[in-house]
Amino acid sequence: MNREDFPILDSGIIYFDNGATTMKPKSVIDSVVDYYSNYTANAHRGDYDSSLKVDEEYEKVRTKVRNLINASRDEEIIYTSGTTESLNMVVFGYMKKVLKEGDEVLLTKSEHASNLLPWMVLQEEIGIVIKYIPLDDNYCLTIDNVKGMISSRTKVISIAHITNVIGDVRNIEEIGKICSEHNILLVVDAAQSIGHIKVDVQAANIAFLGFSAHKMLGPTGIGVLYGRYDLLQELEPLKFGGGMNAFFEEDSRYELKEIPWKFEAGTQNIAGVIGMGKAIDYIQNIGLEKIHEYELKLKKFAVSKLSEIPNIIIYNKDTPSGILTFNIDKVFSQDTAVFLNRFGISIRSGNHCAKILKDEIGITNTCRASFYLYNNEEEIMKLAAVLKRQDEIYDNIV
Amino acid sequence: MKEVVQLDDKLKRDIILEHYQSPFHKGLVEGDNYIKVNSLNASCVDNIFVSALIENGIIMDARFEGDACAICTSATSVMIKTLIGKTLEEAKVIVQNFDNMINEKEYDADVLGELNVYDTVYRQPNRKTCALLPFKAMKDIMAKVENNNLTD
């Protein structure tokens, strides 16, 4: 749907790597160009017209983000460079302060590196205990398995809303309920779910949540950390400098600004924030339910088409998201990706930054086709047509 | 560059596929004297281990293990076949010339032997890392040997 809004699609590219990043609609591109062409200025700095306009636009987007994820106030929205920075702020700005040696953090083996490595480093630094909630036979998380891992020492559950390889959609509202019953903080990596399905931080009792704008039609280098207001009181900034201090004196006394500005040191990615605002407008105009329904329809179609082809192994037929993970039997995933590229089809191969998922699937590398609203059945037919020609693969890539 | 026999594309592909489907010396052997290194592709896809037995400055044996694409797997196989029996000095010349070939610099095709089948990989820039991966591993192994000799 809405293909005409995406200038890049005019090139004829078939882009199925939306889990990595998404294409940008013209309205997003134009908003960034408009800022650079017509009112470039810094935020929170000047007393002149363009600077005031920047201030307004920059803060307006906070409200848009709040509405998108149903936060209770604008101050709970902190601009970051993306999910990775958001999760690092949670781990090193908050958890490092409140957790103690022996406290347990529950993760899963299908998490992305950015929701695993910070915790591993914290384990090394202060001796928290990382435990992995087991996945079921389809590499998905079940409520029973979550419950089964909770002990009196469990302080945090940190999981993706939608996983990036299998596309498992976690029931975060139910998990949030369990967390509140046990006084556990729920941290959510929403990189793959934002802009794809509804995210409601209050309904799911989420403590912290991170996402990136570029995976939901926005610019790269901008994202959000949501933190519940009472928890943000304890969050320590990891960066200090301009724009985040109230005052400082030569005797080293200083005071920081209020939440959220104390977390936004240095000149921010203003163009990114403005573009993210337009991306949210674009998504809200279509409606998340409609987008999600459409992705499911595409996935179902892709599963049915690829299932007809010999030697195609699909790893996640039933997960209710737009992510399809597969291999051609006995063909290395990268060779398949290079082959598809010969026909103008972009998919991702490898371990998708989920390096310990191999312990569960028993296979290191897969091909991933991840769909978004501008993909269509015709493109999937082309993917299937090329995969049917798998006998020609080595003639094309060697 | 010297005049060399141009292999046709079909023959090159057959040689590469032969090495991909039946790689030479795939499977590591346990031996105290083998030096083993792991080499991960920057794109986090190809993952191979290369091990070599080097005695008196000669590569007596080399083997590999791992999961990698057709280009990387076959290049590892051809590299190992080419380097066994060579002195470290000879091996270094081969490794450097292969590197130059892949990176479109001037190189001596005469020293590369069967490795010349990769002389068109430069046309696929996203495969360069794949072809160079085993050579990076071999460079690391040779550097380790030389460092050991210096400290002995």
Side-chain angles (χ1 to χ4, degrees):
Chain A
M1 57 168 102
N2 298 45
R3 289 176 68 82
E4 62 285 357
D5 295 339
F6 294 82
I8 201 168
L9 298 178
D10 294 346
S11 67
I13 184 182
I14 296 181
Y15 184 78
F16 288 147
D17 195 13
N18 294 289
T21 196
T22 57
M23 307 288 102
K24 319 305 170 197
K26 193 161 184 307
S27 60
V28 168
I29 299 167
D30 287 349
S31 72
V32 172
V33 172
D34 185 35
Y35 164 68
Y36 284 131
S37 306
N38 298 317
Y39 62 101
T40 300
N42 213 326
H44 314 300
R45 297 284 198 278
D47 292 324
Y48 45 92
D49 291 351
S50 55
S51 178
L52 287 175
K53 180 169 163 63
V54 167
D55 267 6
E56 276 172 29
E57 295 296 324
Y58 185 80
E59 291 304 327
K60 259 201 264 176
V61 176
R62 238 185 266 279
T63 312
K64 290 179 184 184
V65 175
R66 185 190 91 196
N67 293 335
L68 178 71
I69 62 174
N70 191 33
S72 58
R73 49 198 293 179
D74 284 4
E75 292 89 332
E76 294 179 323
I77 308 303
I78 300 161
Y79 297 134
T80 68
S81 64
T83 316
T84 302
E85 184 174 32
S86 302
L87 293 174
N88 272 269
M89 284 168 71
V90 172
V91 173
F92 298 108
Y94 184 86
M95 299 299 175
K96 191 172 174 174
K97 190 170 146 188
V98 305
L99 296 184
K100 294 183 180 56
E101 189 176 347
D103 283 347
E104 291 175 4
V105 174
L106 304 185
L107 310 170
T108 75
K109 287 188 181 174
S110 52
E111 301 306 314
H112 186 278
S114 54
N115 189 29
L116 289 171
L117 269 176
W119 296 110
M120 290 177 184
V121 173
L122 193 67
Q123 179 176 44
E124 201 172 71
E125 287 186 2
I126 66 167
I128 58 159
V129 176
I130 293 173
K131 291 200 165 169
Y132 294 103
I133 309 168
L135 302 175
D136 71 8
D137 293 345
N138 295 315
Y139 325 112
C140 293
L141 185 61
T142 64
I143 295 296
D144 282 346
N145 284 355
V146 173
K147 285 181 180 163
M149 285 299 286
I150 292 173
S151 77
S152 59
R153 310 217 66 172
T154 308
K155 294 288 175 349
V156 181
I157 294 179
S158 185
I159 51 172
H161 187 184
I162 299 183
T163 58
N164 74 319
V165 180
I166 294 302
D168 173 21
V169 182
R170 272 80 180 264
N171 184 349
I172 50 169
E173 294 197 3
E174 189 62 33
I175 296 170
K177 206 180 291 170
I178 298 166
C179 284
S180 68
E181 282 162 13
H182 293 84
N183 213 11
I184 292 167
L185 294 171
L186 175 61
V187 179
V188 174
D189 163 5
Q192 297 294 333
S193 60
I194 199 79
H196 293 267
I197 57 172
K198 180 77 189 146
V199 175
D200 185 330
V201 293
Q202 294 189 74
N205 184 37
I206 292 171
F208 294 101
L209 172 141
F211 68 83
S212 306
H214 73 96
K215 292 191 202 281
M216 48 157 281
L217 311 178
T220 53
I222 184 72
V224 163
L225 167 63
Y226 158 82
R228 216 171 62 210
Y229 195 70
D230 61 308
L231 300 173
L232 289 182
Q233 307 296 325
E234 298 300 315
L235 179 70
E236 295 291 334
L238 299 180
K239 293 177 193 165
F240 297 83
M244 57 82 75
N245 66 78
F247 75 84
F248 54 93
E249 301 292 344
E250 70 172 340
D251 61 4
S252 298
R253 283 180 305 122
Y254 66 86
E255 195 177 302
L256 303 183
K257 277 190 178 165
E258 300 287 302
I259 296 165
W261 300 283
K262 71 190 253 192
F263 303 114
E264 295 171 3
T267 294
Q268 294 294 294
N269 183 353
I270 298 164
V273 169
I274 290 165
M276 174 164 70
K278 286 292 171 196
I280 293 171
D281 291 344
Y282 188 91
I283 284 165
Q284 299 280 47
N285 282 338
I286 299 175
L288 280 161
E289 273 178 23
K290 199 170 160 194
I291 292 172
H292 183 54
E293 231 168 73
Y294 184 72
E295 281 181 25
L296 288 187
K297 192 179 132 213
L298 286 182
K299 169 150 180 191
K300 218 172 158 190
F301 185 75
V303 167
S304 77
K305 287 292 149 199
L306 266 60
S307 298
E308 291 166 3
I309 307 169
N311 303 319
I312 300 285
I313 305 162
I314 300 175
Y315 299 97
N316 65 340
K317 277 188 179 157
D318 298 322
T319 53
S321 60
I323 296 174
L324 184 72
T325 307
F326 66 96
N327 267 326
I328 303 176
D329 194 21
K330 299 189 178 66
V331 175
F332 193 70
S333 64
Q334 193 188 10
D335 289 332
T336 306
V338 171
F339 178 56
L340 290 168
N341 180 51
R342 284 290 158 99
F343 298 87
I345 301 173
S346 309
I347 61 145
R348 172 87 183 269
S349 74
N351 55 42
H352 320 289
C353 291
K355 296 196 186 210
I356 55 177
L357 183 61
K358 64 178 186 295
D359 300 347
E360 301 276 331
I361 304 190
I363 184 155
T364 320
N365 292 298
T366 51
C367 297
R368 180 185 71 183
S370 44
F371 309 120
Y372 208 12
L373 54 95
Y374 39 73
N375 292 125
N376 61 27
E377 293 185 351
E378 192 187 326
E379 291 176 316
I380 292 169
M381 300 273 275
K382 284 184 188 159
L383 169 70
V386 176
L387 289 173
K388 271 182 198 153
R389 295 167 61 177
Q390 54 190 262
D391 289 349
E392 302 165 36
I393 189 162
Y394 295 112
D395 292 338
N396 275 280
I397 65 162
V398 169
Chain B
M1 222 182 342
K2 290 174 198 167
E3 194 68 27
V4 287
V5 182
Q6 288 294 316
L7 297 166
D8 76 34
D9 283 351
K10 166 91 174 69
L11 184 58
K12 281 187 219 169
R13 189 179 299 139
D14 288 349
I15 293 171
I16 290 172
L17 284 181
E18 171 69 26
H19 276 275
Y20 177 51
Q21 276 144 9
S22 325
F24 179 72
H25 278 202
K26 186 168 183 194
L28 300 176
V29 291
E30 292 308 317
D32 292 345
N33 298 325
Y34 280 78
I35 299 172
K36 178 173 144 186
V37 298
N38 179 231
S39 186
L40 274 171
N41 193 331
S43 69
C44 66
V45 175
D46 298 319
N47 183 14
I48 53 162
F49 289 88
V50 176
S51 80
L53 176 66
I54 299 174
E55 284 174 352
N56 303 319
I58 295 170
I59 300 173
M60 305 301 288
D61 190 23
R63 309 194 64 89
F64 80 106
E65 190 50 85
D67 274 330
C69 69
I71 295 286
C72 181
T73 304
S74 64
T76 312
S77 172
V78 182
M79 176 192 80
I80 285 174
K81 203 174 151 198
T82 308
L83 294 184
I84 289 176
K86 299 285 192 295
T87 65
L88 287 180
E89 292 313 312
E90 289 166 337
K92 270 194 221 166
V93 172
I94 292 168
V95 170
Q96 188 56 54
N97 276 285
F98 186 81
D99 203 294
N100 289 354
M101 178 175 81
I102 299 295
N103 285 309
E104 296 175 78
K105 294 178 191 160
E106 204 159 309
Y107 68 98
D108 182 356
D110 283 354
V111 303
L112 290 179
E114 206 174 5
L115 287 167
N116 280 302
V117 296
Y118 297 98
D119 66 359
T120 52
V121 167
Y122 71 88
R123 289 185 204 150
Q124 306 181 66
N126 54 354
R127 310 312 295 276
K128 283 182 177 182
T129 330
C130 310
L132 288 172
L133 207 63
F135 290 84
K136 185 185 173 296
M138 190 50 87
K139 265 190 221 171
D140 290 347
I141 290 175
M142 292 194 288
K144 276 191 184 183
V145 171
E146 288 181 342
N147 285 338
N148 283 345
N149 288 344
L150 288 175
T151 52
D152 276 350

